[in-house]
Each structure stands twice: as structure tokens, then as C-alpha cells.
Amino acid sequence: MILLGNLTRDPELRYVASGMAVTDIGLAVNDRRKGPNGDWVEETTFVDITLWGRTAEVVSEYCTKGAPLFVEGRLKLDSWEKDGKKNYKLKVVGERIQLLGNRTGPG
């Protein structure tokens, strides 16, 4: 999975019991294409991404809401049961990132 978009919120770094860093980020991925009537249509897809280890620390340290980010990763389907109902959520586990903005902010 390859994604290019902008962070929808500031990353919040945390550490699991083993000491491994983890952060969950949201990425807004924009798509622009011609619709059936020839007009340009813009669509934004919001993707939840989990980053681990040094990758999570780097994003937390250098990125803020709105920052452009390139992410390579894999799809993961989470499932859980709540109130007797089975729930599912598809997300991305980020494996590699590239920071596209500068250190002082987006762009």
C-alpha cells in the first residue's frame, strides 16, 4: 500500500509495555478526476495508520497536523466484539515513511 497525503491531526506518541514506541495517525488522501459529465471531481479519503518504533518517534517529533507525508505499508483488518456485535476496521500498518514538508511546518 502506497499513500501520499496530509496528517489530519498531530501525532500522539505512546509506548507499549515492552518499551516500543507507537503512534496512530490519520492521513487525508486527495483524489481528483473527471466525472461522468466532464467536470473535475475532488474526493478525500481518510486513512488510519499505525506506526511503530523509530518511525513512530520520527513522525511524532517532526510532523504536525497538515504535514505532507508519504507512507508505505500493509493493510490490516482489526476485529473486536462489543455488545454482542462483531466490529471490523481496516487500517494501514506503516512500514516506511518519507517526510515531505520542512522542519518548521507543512509544505
Side-chain angles (χ1 to χ4, degrees):
M1 173 121 291
I2 297 174
L3 300 166
L4 176 63
N6 297 79
L7 291 179
T8 61
R9 61 185 178 275
D10 289 340
E12 293 181 22
L13 185 66
R14 64 187 191 283
Y15 293 87
V16 295
S18 68
M20 176 78 75
V22 62
T23 188
D24 293 310
I25 61 172
L27 201 66
V29 179
N30 296 313
D31 182 33
R32 186 172 186 249
R33 62 189 182 305
K34 283 200 175 187
N37 60 359
D39 293 339
W40 285 103
V41 177
E42 294 197 25
E43 181 178 82
T44 302
T45 301
F46 297 95
V47 182
D48 291 323
I49 302 170
T50 300
L51 303 170
W52 292 91
R54 184 67 184 136
T55 303
E57 292 172 334
V58 167
V59 168
S60 180
E61 184 176 346
Y62 294 106
C63 297
T64 57
K65 179 180 179 179
L69 192 64
F70 176 86
V71 178
E72 289 183 60
R74 60 184 168 81
L75 288 174
K76 182 172 190 262
L77 182 63
D78 285 341
S79 63
W80 67 97
E81 194 168 318
K82 183 177 179 183
D83 300 328
K85 182 181 176 190
K86 194 79 166 171
N87 296 285
Y88 299 94
K89 181 171 187 160
L90 189 61
K91 65 180 186 178
V92 173
V93 176
E95 296 171 344
R96 284 175 293 283
I97 58 148
Q98 186 169 349
L99 308 179
L100 302 176
N102 58 35
R103 261 188 117 158
T104 59

